[in-house]
Amino acid sequence: MYGANRVYKKVEVIGVAKESIEAAIQSAVAKAHKTLDKISWFEVQDVRGHVGEDGAIAEYQVVLKVSFELK
């Protein structure tokens, strides 16, 4: 699987979910996996969210760098 002379590219994606930070990460990685070939890893860059008018957390937003191997 892993050999010499590999080259990767990183792209930024933002996952959003109402349930949790983990759900936002899962959403972003799952969508990236459907769109990009050979996803290898992710890095969480930023975590933020939206607070509703009632003061409760309305959604979680997670900025990720997702890397994939170039063909």
Side-chain angles (χ1 to χ4, degrees), residues 40-51:
S40 184
W41 70 84
F42 71 92
E43 304 168 19
V44 174
Q45 299 291 303
D46 195 15
V47 176
R48 57 182 172 251
H50 178 73
V51 178

Side-chain angles (χ1 to χ4, degrees), residues 57-68:
I57 296 172
E59 70 179 15
Y60 297 90
Q61 304 162 356
V62 181
V63 179
L64 305 171
K65 295 276 184 161
V66 177
S67 99
F68 59 96

